[in-house]
Every structure is written in C-alpha cells, then in structure tokens.
Amino acid sequence: MIQTLAFYLFALLVIASGVFTITARNPVHSVLWLIMAFFNAAGLMVLVGAEFIAMLLVIVYVGAVAVLFLFVVMMLNIDFAEMRAGFIKNFPLGIAIALVLLAELVLGIGAYKAGALELGVADGSAAPMIGESNITSLGTLLYSKYIFLFEAAGIILLVAMIGAIVLTLEKSAADVRGQQDIGKQNRRRPEDATEMQNPEVGKGVEL
Amino acid sequence: MTEYFQSFGMSYEFAWFTATIAGILLIALPLMLAVAMIIYVDRKVLGAIMMRRGPNVVGPFGLLQSFADGLKVFLQETIIPSAANKGLFLLAPIITFTVALAAWAVIPFNSGAVLADINVGLLYVLAVSSLGVYGVVISGWASNSKYPFFSAMRAAAQMISYEVSIGFILVCVVLWANSFNLNDIIVAQKGHGLGFVNAFAFNPLLFPLFVMFLISAMAETARAPFDLTEAESELVAGYQTEYSSMSFALFWLGEYANILLMCALCAILFFGGWLPPVEWEPLYAIPGWIWLFGKMFVFFFIFSWTWGTVPRYRYDQLMRLGWKVFLPLSLLFVFLISGYLMLTRYAPL
C-alpha cells in the first residue's frame, strides 16, 4: 500500500518536474525542476531496491553536476527573446531526437517483455545474488565479470579529464605574475618582514 | 516501534506510519533543543576566549538566552525584498533546515536506536549533506542582491571542493569497517586500539584521516576559519543579508544542526559513537546516547575553540587546501589502506 502510493507520488513528480523543466521561462527555474526530477528518480530507485544507485544519483548528479549547472546558468545573462526565436528553427531537430528516444524506449520495453535477459548463465559468474546487499553484488559483478569494461570506462573518463584540463590550461605571463606562491608566504618570518628601529627624536627613519 | 503500535490493534501500514512520525519527532525535537543549547555553549566559549562573560542575563547563567532570541526573531516582521524571486526566496531557508534535519535519520544513538537502519547509511549522509548547498545557492540568487550572490558562488565552489576529499576519507573508514552501515562501523571499532580502546582514531593509518575530516567538516559547514560565505568584513552577512525573522532563524538552526551532525559523524566514524571510550564493563552501565553526546560536545568545543582563535582563510588558500593538499592526501590514504588490508585481512594465502 505504502509502496504503491510512494511509487505513484515519485512517478508523478518526475513527470511533472520534467514537464516544468522544459516549459519554465526562467533557465534557473528549469535547472531547479531538473534537480527535482533527479531527486524523485532517486526515490523510484530506492523503491525498486537499488538503494546504492539511488544514493549515487543524488551524490553525483544532484550534489555535484547540477550545482555546477546551476552555477553556470545563474552567471549567464540569457536573452529570452533570442532563445525563443531559435525554437521554430530547431523544432524539426528536436522532434527527430524525441522520435529516436521514443523508438529506443519502445525497443527496450519490447525486449524486456520478450523475456528475461538471463545474464551470465553461460559461465555462472553473475548468477543472481539474492540476500546480498546492493553494494556487494554490484562490486562482485563489476570487479569480476565486467572488469575490462569497467577499466575501459575508467580510462575513457581519465582521458576526458586530462583533455578538459589541457583545453583550459593557458599559462600566460600575466597569470604567473598574478598567482600566489603559498610556499613563499609560509616561509616568510616576522624577522624578514619587519625591522626594529630606534630613531633619535627629530631625526626620522631612512626608508 | 511498529510492533508496539500494532499491539494497540492498528493495521500494519498505520502502525508503521505512526511509528515513523513518532521516531522523527523523537529525533527532531531534542535536536532543536540541543541546537538552542549549543548556540549558548558556542557564545559562552567564545566569550571565555575573548575574556568577556558571554550571555548571562536571561535565566540562570544566561541559559535561556537562545530561547529569548528565538522568541524575538519569531515576533519580527518577515521582509521580502521587492526585487527578490519570492517563491525561491522563501524556499531556500526551508531547504537548508529540512536537509539539516533529514541527515539525522541514519545516526545511531545507541545499539539499534536509529530511525532508518539502512545498508547505505554513510552514503545517505553524504548525499543529504551535499544537498545543503542548494539552500545557500538558491537564497543567494533569489535575493537578487550583490553580496548574497557572491556568497552563493563562494559556497557552491567551497562545498563541492571539500565534499570530494570527505568522500575519500569516508571510503577509507568504510574499507576498514567493511560496511556502509553506521551501526556496523561503530561495532567494528570495538576494542580496535590495543584491544581495549573503542576508536578508529588511534589507528596510525586512520588518525591523519580523522584530522583531515575534522578540518573538512569545518569547511563543509562553512565554520570559521572557512566562513568565507558569510565573511562579515567583505560580504555583510553573505547569503543571509536579505533575510529577517523566521526565515533567518531557519538558516541559523539549519547551520547549527549541520555542525552538530558533523560532530556526530566525527564521533561515529573515528571515536566509536555510542560505545564507551574504553572496553571496561562498568562503563557500559551508562547509556550509549550519553557517550555519543559527550563525544559530540568535545568536538563542538573544538569547533568553537577554532572559531575563537584562528584567523579567516583567504579564498585561494581555501581552494588550495581542498584540491592540492586534502584531495591527493586522502587518495594516497585510500591506496595505503586498501593495500594494507589486502596484505593483512584479505591475504590470498
């Protein structure tokens, strides 16, 4: 009973926030609705028993990615009139993407309805692990059966990260001059910076 | 607790609902009381450091000062700036406050005394505390004013930076305790140090992580010396500048509830939570929640002590500490600890 109610609540909120994400006039509101959608999707995942994935969704997407998203959108000064002018031009493209996504969804549900995928029955390494916690079963799968795919994903992410750093790294003379050298600041002692002077009255100090 | 309510002849669903509501009230109301008292402690400690008396007028020893402040704030007028985004402006303090309370659902106060005993307890705490930044960012943007906006930008960058190293520190503790469940992490600390000290902190590999966690916790809750989000000499009052009355009080309560949560996490992850400090049978006669509160109090004292004695960081120093010092160090410790455990606990032969 409670689970059914919770499911319909989360599902309704995901769809509603999705709709508001694309209809909101203010881009900041759009991002906030998107965050709401992420959050409720995490709730749905908890309901199906994938609590680890749900927590990762909240930590990674809501806690980090969406904050950066919000950060950028808040600082941009977006011209609404210009945005709407592009709507008609990009309409066919949007429809095409929507159709592809719909086709994938139908295909996925069709394949699911056709029968269970019987993962890993051939070698038995990924037999369903009932009674184990999410993290244990996911870890066992990732580090045994899918170890090479997992490593490959890691390498792709590493390359992407290095690429992003290289693209944004521009060291000009002005940057170097503007940078603070913390080591130098920490090494600085009061004796290096100050000097005790005891001038005679009326003589002053030579600077 | 569900069984207890079922014994009154309630149906399972209704009993579950009542039990959960009762559990939430049982945590939230004492927490609010604790926040009021800890604000008093904070002001007293700060007063002692600055060689003044601190609050001493309202009630005996000024004990009722926080309640008087609460009443005053409650009677004030709520001012909404005309240029503000009204809905989000009012939503922001509610988010801060709710998120600060939500994380307490998985904190164990005694063996089994926890509202939600879930497998991914530590991840839940991390997830909920990462939501805390939204209250600050939304309030900064919705105020439509310069200083709150600067503060929101600072907060967003600061909290994301320190969450990364906190994540790695938690991974190390989880590796050692072999569980994400906070109760299991506490039980794993039983007799950890030399067979009789109930704490992870006395493990030479985990002690540096405890120090890093304490500092990151100060940065994550934007406490001095990392309170750049509300640096009064630069940003007036940061993201709270445009707030008054109850919406301001909600920020205040949420902030202190978060600080208490971080103190509780320090106690649970590194100092054995509700376990007594050392294995000695008579100490178990004292209930577990008293041990937990005592440990939290010690950490809170460290928080206020730091506030009173350390100057504020510069923003570039803050970022350097997070990304160039804590991140590589905590990563190194993930390697060291998993390597050590592979050699000793999970030795192939």
Side-chain angles (χ1 to χ4, degrees):
Chain A
M1 225 291 261
I2 296 164
Q3 283 184 338
T4 323
L5 270 178
F7 171 78
Y8 281 111
L9 181 74
F10 285 136
L12 198 73
L13 280 172
V14 169
I15 293 169
S17 354
V19 170
F20 282 126
T21 307
I22 50 175
T23 53
R25 280 159 178 271
N26 191 329
V28 172
H29 291 178
S30 272
V31 177
L32 291 175
W33 282 118
L34 184 69
I35 292 164
M36 180 90 174
F38 281 150
F39 201 70
N40 285 299
L44 282 177
M45 283 181 186
V46 170
L47 275 186
V48 295
E51 70 257 21
F52 182 63
I53 307 283
M55 291 303 147
L56 281 195
L57 185 73
V58 175
I59 293 172
V60 175
Y61 280 90
V62 182
V65 173
V67 174
L68 292 179
F69 226 66
L70 201 63
F71 195 91
V72 172
V73 170
M74 277 180 181
M75 289 212 280
L76 288 178
N77 212 350
I78 293 172
D79 187 0
F80 300 111
E82 199 181 318
M83 257 173 67
R84 264 184 230 113
F87 182 74
I88 300 295
K89 201 181 75 185
N90 292 327
F91 193 68
L93 184 68
I95 288 288
I97 291 174
L99 278 178
V100 169
L101 286 179
L102 183 72
E104 280 179 350
L105 219 65
V106 169
L107 210 68
I109 293 172
Y112 178 75
K113 286 272 180 195
L117 209 51
E118 309 233 349
L119 270 176
V121 169
D123 58 1
S125 65
M129 287 169 283
I130 292 161
E132 295 238 30
S133 83
N134 258 234
I135 305 168
T136 323
S137 35
L138 197 69
T140 318
L141 255 188
L142 278 184
Y143 285 99
S144 57
K145 190 166 161 55
Y146 298 113
I147 179 72
F148 292 114
L149 290 173
F150 185 62
E151 299 265 302
I155 288 171
I156 291 170
L157 282 176
L158 183 69
V159 170
M161 191 175 81
I162 294 172
I165 294 171
V166 168
L167 280 178
T168 50
L169 192 71
E170 263 184 69
K171 234 183 164 93
S172 65
D175 286 342
V176 175
R177 193 158 14 92
Q179 257 172 18
Q180 309 250 14
D181 184 352
I182 300 277
K184 205 169 144 194
Q185 290 171 2
N186 284 341
R187 280 196 304 277
R188 200 167 127 117
R189 297 285 146 226
E191 304 87 70
D192 313 333
T194 55
E195 197 182 332
M196 277 299 284
Q197 293 270 2
N198 201 0
E200 280 179 50
V201 177
K203 277 282 169 65
V205 183
E206 195 76 32
L207 282 175
Chain B
M1 211 164 9
T2 310
E3 289 80 32
Y4 173 74
F5 282 106
Q6 266 179 309
S7 68
F8 290 129
M10 292 178 181
S11 69
Y12 175 76
E13 275 88 9
F14 195 65
W16 176 85
F17 188 73
T18 325
T20 311
I21 296 284
I24 290 170
L25 288 179
L26 217 59
I27 292 173
L29 294 181
L31 181 64
M32 284 299 97
L33 193 69
V35 164
M37 292 325 291
I38 217 77
I39 291 175
Y40 167 77
V41 170
D42 206 12
R43 295 174 65 176
K44 271 288 188 197
V45 170
L46 211 60
I49 288 172
M50 295 171 180
M51 286 168 76
R52 48 188 179 80
R53 286 173 194 274
N56 64 350
V57 176
V58 190
F61 308 108
L63 273 168
L64 300 175
Q65 181 66 50
S66 303
F67 299 101
D69 288 346
L71 197 67
K72 179 198 75 179
V73 152
F74 195 72
L75 294 173
Q76 277 175 342
E77 181 194 354
T78 307
I79 299 167
I80 300 174
S82 55
N85 193 315
K86 200 180 267 177
L88 289 179
F89 184 80
L90 291 175
L91 188 69
I94 299 174
I95 291 177
T96 305
F97 184 69
T98 317
V99 163
L101 287 186
W104 286 88
V106 294
I107 301 292
F109 293 97
N110 204 341
S111 176
V114 48
L115 182 64
D117 195 14
I118 53 177
N119 277 330
V120 288
L122 202 52
L123 282 177
Y124 172 83
V125 171
L126 199 63
V128 170
S129 72
S130 71
L131 292 179
V133 69
Y134 282 109
V136 177
V137 170
I138 291 174
S139 70
W141 183 78
S143 297
N144 206 351
S145 159
K146 282 189 190 64
Y147 294 122
F149 191 64
F150 282 137
S151 166
M153 294 288 117
R154 283 183 176 187
Q158 176 177 343
M159 288 186 184
I160 288 180
S161 311
Y162 279 86
E163 232 150 62
V164 181
S165 60
I166 283 188
F168 281 122
I169 293 167
L170 296 187
V171 164
C172 293
V173 175
V174 165
L175 278 173
W176 211 289
N178 210 359
S179 172
F180 272 102
N181 185 308
L182 287 172
N183 224 0
D184 292 352
I185 290 175
I186 292 174
V187 171
Q189 297 178 46
K190 205 166 179 166
H192 185 76
L194 304 171
F196 68 94
V197 182
N198 293 329
F200 269 158
F202 296 100
N203 181 329
L205 273 174
L206 287 171
F207 180 74
L209 292 168
F210 160 65
V211 176
M212 284 200 282
F213 185 80
L214 195 66
I215 298 173
S216 304
M218 287 177 193
E220 180 77 7
T221 51
R223 261 300 266 212
F226 305 104
D227 55 346
L228 284 134
T229 51
E230 42 198 291
E232 63 272 2
S233 54
E234 308 152 29
L235 295 181
V236 193
Y239 58 92
Q240 308 165 343
T241 305
E242 306 291 340
Y243 284 87
S244 62
S245 172
M246 272 320 274
S247 47
F248 174 75
L250 284 182
F251 271 127
W252 200 236
L253 291 173
E255 204 172 287
Y256 272 91
N258 261 333
I259 292 168
L260 280 182
L261 177 77
M262 282 299 172
C263 294
L265 276 184
C266 276
I268 288 169
L269 295 177
F270 295 100
F271 280 86
W274 44 260
L275 288 170
V278 289
E279 282 289 278
W280 188 44
E281 208 46 53
L283 288 179
Y284 279 94
I286 301 171
W289 58 270
I290 291 185
W291 286 119
L292 180 67
F293 283 9
K295 288 167 185 174
M296 279 165 64
F297 192 81
V298 171
F299 288 117
F300 187 80
F301 178 75
I302 296 176
F303 268 64
S304 334
W305 185 10
T306 323
W307 187 18
T309 46
V310 178
R312 185 176 295 134
Y313 255 46
R314 222 168 45 215
Y315 202 75
D316 66 300
Q317 289 172 325
L318 175 86
M319 284 293 142
R320 176 182 165 273
L321 187 70
W323 289 106
K324 292 189 182 168
V325 179
F326 280 0
L327 182 60
L329 260 182
S330 51
L331 254 177
L332 176 74
F333 272 97
V334 173
F335 276 114
L336 277 180
I337 286 175
S338 38
Y340 177 80
L341 290 177
M342 273 314 269
L343 280 176
T344 55
R345 194 188 293 172
Y346 305 109
L349 292 172

